[in-house]
Amino acid sequence: MSYSIIVPVLNEEDNISIVIEKVKEIFEKVSHEIIVINNKSVDNTKEILNEITDIQIYDFSLYQSRSSAILFGLTKAKNDYIIIVDGDNEINLEYLINITNFPDMKDIYWCNRYIKSQKSSFSMMMNKLISLVVRSL
């Protein structure tokens, strides 16, 4: 299994190196690529990214939506499974370890800091909806 990890960022100078370090640590034993889309950050995010090795960096020259950054990342992803991670370090990335340990991958996993239970009906409905959208691309 190989993974493409897409990280859209906007003004994340305080968080991006922590996020990338965690992602690298979690996926160090499996084939992966890290795709970072810098959405016209005006802080030092770009300079920090340029100091990090083993990542692909794409800079938007004009601000675009987060969705546009993710869709762009999807066009660059080359691996079997795609994971989207926000650059703000708000979600505990340790949950990603579980994804790398299950050979029977699902179509899509969705982590949301606002949903209390992974088994909520809302979460299951959103997983199905997002899966349908991704399959139609």
Side-chain angles (χ1 to χ4, degrees), residues 72-84:
F72 179 82
L74 290 172
T75 67
K76 299 300 179 185
K78 297 181 180 108
N79 291 325
D80 301 324
Y81 297 102
I82 297 172
I83 298 170
I84 301 167

Side-chain angles (χ1 to χ4, degrees), residues 26-77:
I26 291 166
F27 290 93
E28 70 182 345
K29 295 181 181 172
V30 295
S31 176
H32 70 279
E33 64 180 344
I34 301 172
I35 302 166
V36 182
I37 299 92
N38 182 24
N39 200 356
K40 191 68 174 152
S41 295
V42 295
D43 63 359
N44 291 320
T45 300
K46 182 175 180 174
E47 290 76 15
I48 292 167
L49 287 171
N50 287 332
E51 293 176 7
I52 301 173
T53 60
D54 300 323
I55 62 172
Q56 299 171 40
I57 305 167
Y58 298 93
D59 290 303
F60 283 174
S61 58
L62 298 172
Y63 172 77
Q64 298 184 39
S65 68
R66 179 178 176 277
S67 299
S68 295
I70 291 170
L71 289 173
F72 179 82
L74 290 172
T75 67
K76 299 300 179 185

